[in-house]
Amino acid sequence: MAVTNATIRAVNDLTVRWAGASAGGTVFSAAGVWPLLAFLADGATGRARGELAEAVGMPAEEAAGAARELLAAMGRMRGLDSALGLWTKRTLELRERWEAGLPLEAHGVLTGDVGVDKGALDAWAVKRTGGLIEEMPVQVTEDTEMVLASALALRTEWLSRFWERPLWPRTGPWQDRQLVGLRRSSEVLDRVGVADTPDGHVTELKVLGDNAIDVHLLLGEERMTPGQVLGAGVDLLARRRAVVPGDRLPYGEVGPGLRVGRVRSATPDPPILDVTAVAFDMSAKHDLLELHHVFGLTTARDASRGHFPDISASPLAIGSARQSAMAKFTALGFRAAAVTAIGAIGAGIPRLRWVTTRIDATFDRPFGFLAVHRHSRLVLASGWVTDPTECPEDPEYDEDF
């Protein structure tokens, strides 16, 4: 069964709320947290059940079914590996109905030996993410009765690669830093566009992957917060806001980092979109209990009583909730070098008879990104870039790159 629009909307809305509660450079995945909250909501009671249902954006009795659909849909997405894991102490008896709703291969055992259990959990994280995450973020103690975890790893290669060149931003917080710049040109103008939101204008650039996983770069006005910019990006995905595509933009400074101009050319060239961005490689660790109001875990933290009678007759409360995440944006493509020599002699000054349109899109100050499954519009990972990749001291960039 395909994942429903209601579930996609619920996951993406959690992305917006998480972004609104975040500050500084970060990367996170609401798609990794949402199924866990949904399964917990299904097994909770009282106020904890209501808070979790609000966090997942649907009635608690519907949450587990939606989580199963989401996990199944992610399992079919090209370029995405995902998994769910459950570990319990041998002495903890689970409710048959709740356990039966989890994937068959999910259930493992906690031995009570902290070192052994940590090693097994870390190995699972490494295996399920292809080594991108090296350890399970949750702390296992002698008091840990159950661990419920998810893992996802996505990879895509650009349909049209970038070329690396050093970049020195002239203004802004990255001024005078030598960064790994990524540049490319395209005749497809509608890959970029501008949206007018209540908080300000946002420029959106879609970088298409070869397996239907795309990355949307989002640059807002300088006064806008990360939550406002990423929230606008999710609104564009849901078509709650209109975006004016590049081929319909007027001339001039039309959006953040975006300029449309007329340039003279010696040949009748088609309109062109020139993109300048930066490479980045970032990671983050999140304590979800610090944002318990975002994830519906306020009451569930109270260890004076149990909150999940439909998971187990043994009283359970949430003692730890964390996420480790990483993202890396590069030229992502085949690199080659060639030497070509052409002998030429001067023949006078060329006549610039033609005029063409050129759009320059520049992401050279902090911006947001959304990694999106193209067909479902599900946001798989999100982040805010404040610390792009620096150039090495002696970069060996080929002149043809």
Side-chain angles (χ1 to χ4, degrees):
M1 182 181 296
V3 63
T4 66
N5 289 332
T7 300
I8 293 170
R9 183 167 57 250
V11 177
N12 290 355
D13 285 348
L14 181 59
T15 295
V16 175
R17 295 197 302 276
W18 196 347
S22 300
T26 190
V27 54
F28 59 90
S29 173
V33 175
W34 194 91
L36 306 186
L37 300 180
F39 285 123
L40 289 176
D42 180 57
T45 189
R47 181 176 294 179
R49 183 178 178 88
E51 290 171 353
L52 284 162
E54 183 176 357
V56 300
M58 63 179 56
E61 58 270 19
E62 300 176 8
R68 287 190 290 271
E69 290 179 3
L70 176 64
L71 291 171
M74 291 197 298
R76 294 190 295 269
M77 293 179 183
R78 293 172 55 218
L80 176 67
D81 296 321
S82 62
L84 184 124
L86 171 71
W87 295 262
T88 61
K89 281 189 175 178
R90 297 184 189 277
T91 54
L92 182 70
E93 294 186 12
L94 297 176
R95 300 291 191 190
E96 184 177 346
R97 184 197 68 83
W98 188 83
E99 184 180 8
L102 302 179
L104 293 176
E105 71 280 4
H107 199 172
V109 175
L110 296 175
T111 67
D113 184 317
V114 173
V116 171
D117 291 338
K118 175 174 170 49
L121 293 173
D122 289 348
W124 185 86
V126 171
K127 179 179 179 180
R128 294 301 186 176
T129 65
L132 296 177
I133 301 294
E134 296 182 350
E135 63 179 0
M136 185 75 78
V138 71
Q139 292 294 323
V140 179
T141 69
E142 293 179 355
D143 296 327
T144 302
E145 294 284 331
M146 182 180 82
V147 174
L148 182 64
S150 72
L152 60 84
L154 61 93
R155 295 174 174 82
T156 191
E157 294 187 1
W158 310 134
L159 288 176
S160 177
R161 65 152 298 168
F162 290 87
W163 302 97
E164 289 189 2
R165 296 178 188 268
L167 175 66
W168 295 270
R170 298 179 180 178
T171 60
W174 299 340
Q175 184 176 3
D176 297 329
R177 292 177 61 182
Q178 183 171 317
L179 307 176
V180 175
L182 303 177
R183 293 185 171 91
R184 75 181 192 189
S185 297
S186 170
E187 296 177 13
V188 185
L189 305 187
D190 62 2
R191 293 286 186 264
V192 75
V194 178
D196 185 5
T197 79
D199 300 309
H201 290 87
V202 174
T203 295
E204 177 191 54
L205 174 71
K206 299 176 182 177
V207 187
L208 302 190
D210 63 354
N211 53 11
I213 294 178
D214 307 327
V215 176
H216 296 197
L217 304 186
L218 302 161
L219 184 66
E221 297 181 24
E222 292 189 44
R223 58 181 172 79
M224 295 177 69
T225 66
Q228 290 171 335
V229 176
L230 290 171
V234 173
D235 281 344
L236 297 182
L237 284 175
R239 299 188 174 93
R240 291 190 288 260
R241 300 283 174 195
V243 60
V244 180
D247 55 358
R248 292 171 50 194
L249 292 171
Y251 292 108
E253 305 290 337
V254 294
L258 194 63
R259 186 180 186 281
V260 181
R262 304 177 78 177
V263 294
R264 291 196 170 273
S265 173
T267 56
D269 298 326
I272 198 79
L273 168 63
D274 283 336
V275 174
T276 300
V278 292
F280 59 84
D281 186 352
M282 57 197 298
S283 61
K285 294 183 177 180
H286 304 281
D287 186 343
L288 306 186
L289 293 187
E290 292 182 355
L291 298 175
H292 54 85
H293 58 287
V294 173
F295 301 105
L297 296 172
T298 303
T299 299
R301 300 174 304 159
D302 180 7
S304 66
R305 58 190 178 91
H307 306 283
F308 303 95
D310 287 340
I311 293 180
S312 174
S314 299
L316 297 172
I318 301 301
S320 176
R322 299 173 179 270
Q323 184 183 89
S324 296
M326 59 81 61
K328 187 174 183 178
F329 188 103
T330 69
L332 285 182
F334 176 74
R335 294 189 70 177
V339 176
T340 304
I342 301 177
I345 60 173
I349 302 175
R351 295 177 58 195
L352 304 179
R353 299 172 50 193
W354 286 275
V355 174
T356 189
T357 297
R358 188 176 75 187
I359 301 177
D360 291 298
T362 304
F363 292 76
D364 62 356
R365 58 178 173 81
F367 60 90
F369 70 89
L370 300 174
V372 180
H373 180 244
R374 186 184 308 154
H375 306 309
S376 68
R377 296 175 174 261
L378 174 67
V379 177
L380 299 169
S382 324
W384 186 256
V385 181
T386 59
D387 191 19
T389 304
E390 298 270 2
C391 274
E393 291 186 4
D394 297 308
E396 298 181 358
Y397 293 101
D398 190 278
E399 290 298 323
D400 291 332
F401 277 28

Short mmCIF file of all heavy atoms in Angstrom, two decimals, residues 21 51 59-60 68 87 116 139 180 215 244 246 258 290 297 310 321 342 349 366:
data_model
loop_
_atom_site.label_atom_id
_atom_site.label_comp_id
_atom_site.label_asym_id
_atom_site.label_seq_id
_atom_site.Cartn_x
_atom_site.Cartn_y
_atom_site.Cartn_z
N ALA A 21 12.19 25.11 16.00
CA ALA A 21 12.74 25.03 17.36
C ALA A 21 14.26 24.90 17.35
O ALA A 21 14.87 24.79 18.42
CB ALA A 21 12.13 23.86 18.11
N GLU A 51 -0.50 13.70 23.81
CA GLU A 51 0.63 14.50 23.37
C GLU A 51 1.35 13.87 22.19
O GLU A 51 1.75 14.56 21.24
CB GLU A 51 1.60 14.68 24.54
CG GLU A 51 1.06 15.58 25.65
CD GLU A 51 1.92 15.57 26.90
OE1 GLU A 51 2.89 14.76 26.95
OE2 GLU A 51 1.65 16.36 27.82
N PRO A 59 -4.80 10.79 14.89
CA PRO A 59 -5.25 10.04 16.07
C PRO A 59 -4.32 8.87 16.38
O PRO A 59 -3.79 8.22 15.48
CB PRO A 59 -6.65 9.54 15.64
CG PRO A 59 -7.10 10.52 14.60
CD PRO A 59 -5.85 10.91 13.87
N ALA A 60 -4.13 8.62 17.67
CA ALA A 60 -3.20 7.57 18.09
C ALA A 60 -3.56 6.21 17.54
O ALA A 60 -2.69 5.40 17.21
CB ALA A 60 -3.13 7.53 19.62
N ARG A 68 3.58 1.92 9.61
CA ARG A 68 3.90 0.74 8.81
C ARG A 68 3.88 1.08 7.32
O ARG A 68 4.74 0.63 6.56
CB ARG A 68 2.92 -0.39 9.13
CG ARG A 68 3.15 -1.03 10.49
CD ARG A 68 2.32 -2.30 10.66
NE ARG A 68 0.89 -2.00 10.78
CZ ARG A 68 0.26 -1.77 11.92
NH1 ARG A 68 0.94 -1.75 13.06
NH2 ARG A 68 -1.04 -1.55 11.95
N TRP A 87 14.73 -3.61 20.73
CA TRP A 87 15.47 -4.49 21.65
C TRP A 87 14.82 -4.40 23.03
O TRP A 87 14.48 -3.31 23.50
CB TRP A 87 16.93 -4.05 21.77
CG TRP A 87 17.71 -4.18 20.50
CD1 TRP A 87 18.54 -5.20 20.13
CD2 TRP A 87 17.74 -3.24 19.42
NE1 TRP A 87 19.08 -4.97 18.90
CE2 TRP A 87 18.61 -3.76 18.42
CE3 TRP A 87 17.15 -2.00 19.18
CZ2 TRP A 87 18.88 -3.10 17.24
CZ3 TRP A 87 17.40 -1.34 18.00
CH2 TRP A 87 18.26 -1.90 17.04
N VAL A 116 28.19 -5.10 26.20
CA VAL A 116 27.75 -6.00 25.13
C VAL A 116 26.59 -5.38 24.37
O VAL A 116 26.56 -5.40 23.13
CB VAL A 116 27.36 -7.38 25.70
CG1 VAL A 116 26.69 -8.23 24.63
CG2 VAL A 116 28.59 -8.08 26.26
N GLN A 139 21.78 6.21 25.08
CA GLN A 139 22.65 5.65 26.11
C GLN A 139 21.94 4.47 26.79
O GLN A 139 20.87 4.62 27.36
CB GLN A 139 23.00 6.72 27.15
CG GLN A 139 23.89 7.83 26.63
CD GLN A 139 25.28 7.33 26.25
OE1 GLN A 139 25.83 6.46 26.92
NE2 GLN A 139 25.82 7.85 25.16
N VAL A 180 34.99 25.70 -0.94
CA VAL A 180 34.83 24.84 -2.12
C VAL A 180 33.54 25.26 -2.81
O VAL A 180 32.44 24.95 -2.36
CB VAL A 180 34.77 23.35 -1.72
CG1 VAL A 180 34.49 22.49 -2.94
CG2 VAL A 180 36.08 22.92 -1.06
N VAL A 215 17.57 17.35 -3.93
CA VAL A 215 17.87 18.27 -2.84
C VAL A 215 17.45 19.66 -3.26
O VAL A 215 17.84 20.15 -4.32
CB VAL A 215 19.37 18.24 -2.48
CG1 VAL A 215 19.68 19.28 -1.41
CG2 VAL A 215 19.78 16.86 -1.99
N VAL A 244 7.38 31.34 -8.45
CA VAL A 244 7.50 31.85 -9.82
C VAL A 244 8.77 31.26 -10.41
O VAL A 244 9.87 31.54 -9.93
CB VAL A 244 7.56 33.39 -9.84
CG1 VAL A 244 7.68 33.89 -11.28
CG2 VAL A 244 6.33 33.98 -9.16
N GLY A 246 12.01 30.31 -12.95
CA GLY A 246 13.00 31.17 -13.56
C GLY A 246 12.62 31.71 -14.91
O GLY A 246 12.93 32.87 -15.24
N LEU A 258 19.47 35.94 -6.28
CA LEU A 258 19.00 35.62 -7.63
C LEU A 258 18.89 36.90 -8.47
O LEU A 258 18.22 37.86 -8.07
CB LEU A 258 17.64 34.93 -7.56
CG LEU A 258 17.15 34.23 -8.83
CD1 LEU A 258 18.08 33.09 -9.21
CD2 LEU A 258 15.74 33.70 -8.63
N GLU A 290 15.15 17.46 25.01
CA GLU A 290 15.28 18.90 25.19
C GLU A 290 14.18 19.66 24.44
O GLU A 290 13.85 20.79 24.78
CB GLU A 290 16.66 19.37 24.72
CG GLU A 290 17.80 18.89 25.60
CD GLU A 290 19.14 19.41 25.15
OE1 GLU A 290 19.19 20.08 24.09
OE2 GLU A 290 20.14 19.16 25.84
N LEU A 297 6.70 14.29 23.99
CA LEU A 297 7.30 13.43 25.00
C LEU A 297 7.30 14.06 26.40
O LEU A 297 8.01 13.60 27.29
CB LEU A 297 8.74 13.08 24.60
CG LEU A 297 8.88 12.26 23.31
CD1 LEU A 297 10.34 12.13 22.91
CD2 LEU A 297 8.24 10.89 23.47
N ASP A 310 -0.29 -0.48 26.58
CA ASP A 310 -0.56 -1.31 25.41
C ASP A 310 0.72 -1.80 24.75
O ASP A 310 0.67 -2.50 23.73
CB ASP A 310 -1.41 -0.54 24.41
CG ASP A 310 -2.86 -0.39 24.89
OD1 ASP A 310 -3.27 -1.18 25.76
OD2 ASP A 310 -3.54 0.52 24.40
N ALA A 321 16.02 9.97 24.39
CA ALA A 321 15.58 10.04 22.99
C ALA A 321 16.56 10.95 22.25
O ALA A 321 16.65 12.14 22.55
CB ALA A 321 14.16 10.58 22.90
N ILE A 342 44.55 24.58 -29.34
CA ILE A 342 44.00 25.12 -30.58
C ILE A 342 44.83 26.34 -30.96
O ILE A 342 45.01 27.24 -30.15
CB ILE A 342 42.52 25.51 -30.40
CG1 ILE A 342 41.69 24.29 -30.00
CG2 ILE A 342 41.98 26.17 -31.67
CD1 ILE A 342 40.22 24.59 -29.74
N ILE A 349 37.84 42.56 -33.54
CA ILE A 349 36.91 42.51 -32.42
C ILE A 349 35.58 41.95 -32.88
O ILE A 349 35.00 42.44 -33.85
CB ILE A 349 36.71 43.92 -31.83
CG1 ILE A 349 38.06 44.48 -31.38
CG2 ILE A 349 35.70 43.90 -30.68
CD1 ILE A 349 37.99 45.90 -30.90
N PRO A 366 24.50 31.60 4.68
CA PRO A 366 23.72 30.49 5.25
C PRO A 366 22.39 30.24 4.55
O PRO A 366 21.64 31.18 4.26
CB PRO A 366 23.53 30.94 6.70
CG PRO A 366 24.77 31.70 7.01
CD PRO A 366 25.08 32.46 5.73
#
